[in-house]
Amino acid sequence: MLAGRRVVLAVSGGVAAFKAAFLARRIIEAGADVRTVMTDSACRFLGPQTMAALTGTPPVLDLFDQEDVSPHTSLARWADAIVVAPATAATISRLANGLSDGALAATVLAAKCPVVVAPAMHTEMWEHPATTRNMATLRSDGCVIAGPVSGALAGGDEGPGRMLEPEQILEILAGVFTPGPMEGWRVVVSAGGTREAIDPVRYVGNRSSGKMGNAVAVAAADAGAAVTLVTTVAAPSHSRIDVVPVESAQEMAEAVWAAATGSDVAVLAAAVADFRPADPVTGKLRRAQGPPEINLEPTPDILAGVAAMENRPYLVGFAAEVGSLEGAIDKAQRKGVDLLVANDIAKPGSGFGTETNEVTLITPDGATLPWEMLSKPAVAEKLVAEIVRRRGAAGSS
Ligand code: PMT
C-alpha cells in the first residue's frame, strides 16, 4: 500500500520524537519516499541530521528557507499523506485552530492529502478539556487519529498519552491508502425520536437519544460512505456526514425520502411516532381550559415509503420490541426491508438512551441472528460490515 507513496513525517517536540526516526525507517522500508518537517522543539529531542541521513533529504525547519520561497506549500503539494508523530498538545492545538506560525503547522494547513495525527503527551494534558476539544476538531476536519495508548510516559510517569509504536502508526498510515468497504456509497441514516406538536409548547415524543443512529452514521462514514444523517438530536461531527435536522415524522419522511433517492443503503434507526395530533393548537393550551381532547392521525410510514421506491437502496429497519421478538419477525417479513435490527427495549442495557445494545438481526425469511451485548458503536461497526457483506452478496453494489 505504501510502495511509491510520498509521505511527509511531521515531528513536533516531545520525548517520543526519538521514535520518529524509527518510523521514518519503517515507512521507507515499506517502499515510500519520506521527507520531514520539524518544529524547533522537535530539534531539541532529535537531531535534524539524523532525519536527513535516514531520509536522504534535510528536514524543513522554518518558513524562511533561502532555497525554497515557499517550503510549506512545496512540501504539502509533494505529499500523498502527512503523519504528525509525535503530535504534542501544542501542535494539536495549532492544527485544530489553523494556526500556521511555523513550518510544520503551515505544511499541514496547506495540505489537501490525508493527515494522520499520533498524539503524545502527559495524561493531564491529554485529558484536559481543551485537548479533547482540539481532538474533536481534528477528527471532524477529517484527520485520522492514531492513538495514544496508556503506558510509560516521560519522567517515569504512567497513563494514557503514550504515542503508538512506529509499527502501529505504519499500519494506520497504510490504511489511509486502503479504500473503505463503503467507499463511493451513499448512505442515509435516521436517528432520534420524532416530536409531534400538540401546541407550540408540548409534543408527543419518545425516549430515543439518537445514540444508536448516530453510531451507525459514524461507522458508515468511517467505512468511506458519504452519509446523510436525518436526525432530531445533536449529530456527531464528521467530514463525511451531512446532517439534516428535523423534528416531526413528516419532516423526517420528506428528508429521508429525498436522500434515499439514488442512495445505496438506508438505515432507519429513528424512533418515529406512529400517530400525531390531528389538529395541533396554534396558541398555548391553558390548564384552566381543562384536559384537552387530542385526536390522533397516522404519520407517514417512512420505511414503507423507501421500500416502495423504484431502485430502492438496501434497506435496514430497526424494531423496538418488548420481550418477545415475534413482532419484529412479523415486521421483517411484512415491511419490505432487506434486514431488520431488533432490540428488546425492556432488557437492561438495551434500547433507548443506553450506551450498549443487544440486537438480533432478522431477515425477511424469518431467520434470526442474535448478537451479544455490545457498545452502540460496536453494534454499528458490526452492522456496517454485515451490510457490506450482504449487499455485496446480493450483487447490488
Ligand atoms: O436512540 P437510542 O436512545 O440510541 O435508542 C435506539 C433505538 C431503541 C431507538 C433503536 O435501536 C430502535 O430500535 N429504533 C427503532 C425504533 C422504532 O421506532 O421501532 P418500530 O418498531 O416502531 O419501527 C420499525 C421501523 O419502522 C423503524 O426502522 C422505524 O424507523 C420505522 N418507522 C416507524 C414508524 C414510522 N411512522 N415510520 C417508520 O419508518
Side-chain angles (χ1 to χ4, degrees):
M1 277 299 159
L2 283 168
R5 303 287 186 178
R6 296 184 298 202
V7 177
V8 167
L9 179 54
V11 189
S12 60
V15 66
F18 78 93
K19 290 190 195 170
F22 294 93
L23 179 58
R25 160 118 329 139
R26 298 281 172 279
I27 300 171
I28 291 165
E29 283 167 357
D33 199 358
V34 175
R35 292 190 188 169
T36 50
V37 54
M38 299 174 72
T39 62
D40 290 346
S41 349
C43 296
R44 292 178 171 238
F45 289 95
L46 176 70
Q49 204 51 47
T50 304
M51 297 311 268
L54 283 170
T55 64
T57 312
V60 172
L61 301 177
D62 68 58
L63 289 169
F64 305 101
D65 187 323
Q66 296 304 307
E67 306 262 304
D68 188 338
V69 288
S70 185
H72 56 303
T73 51
S74 302
L75 203 53
R77 284 178 196 145
W78 176 85
D80 292 325
I82 297 178
V83 188
V84 188
T88 60
T91 289
I92 286 168
S93 175
R94 280 193 187 88
L95 302 186
N97 290 289
L99 186 63
S100 54
D101 60 346
L104 187 154
T107 301
V108 176
L109 196 64
K112 292 209 182 299
C113 62
V115 176
V116 177
V117 175
M121 66 198 74
H122 264 90
T123 304
E124 296 83 344
M125 299 168 85
W126 174 247
E127 290 178 347
H128 194 283
T131 306
T132 305
R133 267 197 314 274
N134 290 335
M135 289 306 299
T137 302
L138 291 186
R139 252 184 224 104
S140 77
D141 286 350
C143 290
V144 176
I145 308 302
V149 288
S150 194
L153 304 169
D157 290 337
E158 192 133 334
R162 181 180 166 87
M163 192 172 87
L164 288 184
E165 294 306 316
E167 288 71 18
Q168 295 168 301
I169 298 173
L170 182 73
E171 204 173 299
I172 291 166
L173 172 64
V176 160
F177 297 110
T178 315
M182 283 190 166
E183 200 76 42
W185 292 23
R186 282 178 53 199
V187 174
V188 52
V189 179
S190 73
T194 59
R195 295 174 169 194
E196 312 300 331
I198 297 171
D199 71 2
V201 179
R202 303 159 182 103
Y203 60 83
V204 176
N206 62 67
R207 299 174 197 280
S208 172
S209 64
K211 286 177 190 166
M212 192 63 251
N214 282 354
V216 172
V218 169
D222 282 348
V227 177
T228 302
L229 174 58
V230 181
T231 179
T232 63
V233 296
S237 158
H238 192 297
S239 58
R240 278 195 287 268
I241 298 180
D242 187 22
V243 179
V244 183
V246 295
E247 191 166 292
S248 65
Q250 184 65 41
E251 289 170 5
M252 182 172 277
E254 285 164 20
V256 166
W257 291 338
T261 310
S263 275
D264 301 279
V265 176
V267 182
L268 305 190
V272 185
D274 284 311
F275 301 100
R276 66 186 171 206
D279 306 297
V281 180
T282 46
K284 187 182 172 189
L285 287 168
R286 300 283 165 193
R287 185 184 174 85
Q289 294 169 306
E293 192 171 302
I294 301 172
N295 293 316
L296 298 176
E297 64 180 13
T299 57
D301 188 331
I302 305 171
L303 195 77
V306 178
M309 281 178 171
E310 217 176 300
N311 298 324
R312 70 161 174 78
Y314 186 91
L315 181 55
V316 181
F318 269 70
E321 300 292 334
V322 178
S324 154
L325 283 184
E326 259 163 50
I329 293 173
D330 175 56
K331 274 179 200 162
Q333 292 170 331
R334 197 167 42 80
K335 287 255 189 182
V337 293
D338 293 295
L339 197 59
L340 196 79
V341 183
N343 39 204
D344 180 352
I345 56 165
K347 205 170 216 172
S350 256
F352 292 113
T354 53
E355 297 301 324
T356 52
N357 211 0
E358 189 175 323
V359 305
T360 298
L361 301 195
I362 308 175
T363 45
D365 60 5
T368 58
L369 176 62
W371 284 353
E372 69 273 34
M373 180 83 75
L374 295 166
S375 69
K376 282 182 176 169
V379 170
E381 249 180 66
K382 234 179 134 169
L383 179 60
V384 160
E386 195 69 35
I387 292 168
V388 168
R389 196 175 64 75
R390 288 173 186 262
R391 181 177 179 268
S396 46
S397 60

